[in-house]
Amino acid sequence: MSPPKRKGYLAERKVRMLLHRYGWITIRSGGSLGSADVVCLRKGKCVLMQVKSTRKPVVYVREKLPSEIEGFPLYIVVDFGYGNIRVFRPGERMSRQKGTLLEEFVEKC
């Protein structure tokens, strides 16, 4: 596995492990050929996530991502490192201080 792919896989794994602790079932989209890397299911809810990993203070996504796919909401989850994993809606400015912490996000859902 190439270093960038491994970095992405590790970020996805970290997000999935945290979601499992909160009772979510997650399915990883192997190869990430679409907009969603992880499908998350819990109590009749389905949430799609695109997972990113960076050490930079701001993330820019070049591709235009939809806010939902087939009626299910899509979120961008960014692992900034050191436990700072944040959730964003497509189109939001993604930085270390913005967005919602992943733990807060899963508690609200």
Side-chain angles (χ1 to χ4, degrees):
M1 188 179 294
S2 69
K5 290 227 181 251
R6 180 157 176 76
K7 182 178 169 186
Y9 168 77
L10 292 174
E12 289 172 12
R13 187 170 183 269
K14 193 184 305 184
V15 167
R16 290 180 67 207
M17 287 173 58
L18 192 138
L19 289 166
H20 284 204
R21 277 189 253 145
Y22 283 89
W24 289 81
I25 296 170
T26 61
I27 303 159
R28 181 176 175 263
S29 170
S32 300
L33 300 174
S35 297
D37 294 324
V38 180
V39 177
C40 313
L41 306 166
R42 181 175 170 233
K43 296 182 181 177
K45 289 186 178 184
C46 179
V47 174
L48 307 173
M49 294 184 170
Q50 171 69 248
V51 180
K52 305 284 185 192
S53 178
T54 188
R55 297 279 185 232
K56 297 177 183 175
V58 177
V59 175
Y60 298 98
V61 177
R62 290 190 178 141
E63 72 264 23
K64 176 132 173 73
L65 294 172
S67 60
E68 60 181 44
I69 299 171
E70 295 293 323
F72 299 110
L74 175 69
Y75 295 93
I76 302 171
V77 179
V78 182
D79 180 2
F80 287 100
Y82 306 106
N84 188 9
I85 303 173
R86 299 205 170 253
V87 180
F88 304 90
R89 293 294 293 171
E92 285 185 314
R93 181 169 165 26
M94 295 180 282
S95 71
R96 288 180 183 161
Q97 294 79 27
K98 304 270 185 193
T100 306
L101 286 170
L102 182 59
E103 290 89 348
E104 292 174 13
F105 176 83
V106 294
E107 285 177 358
K108 290 178 189 175
C109 284

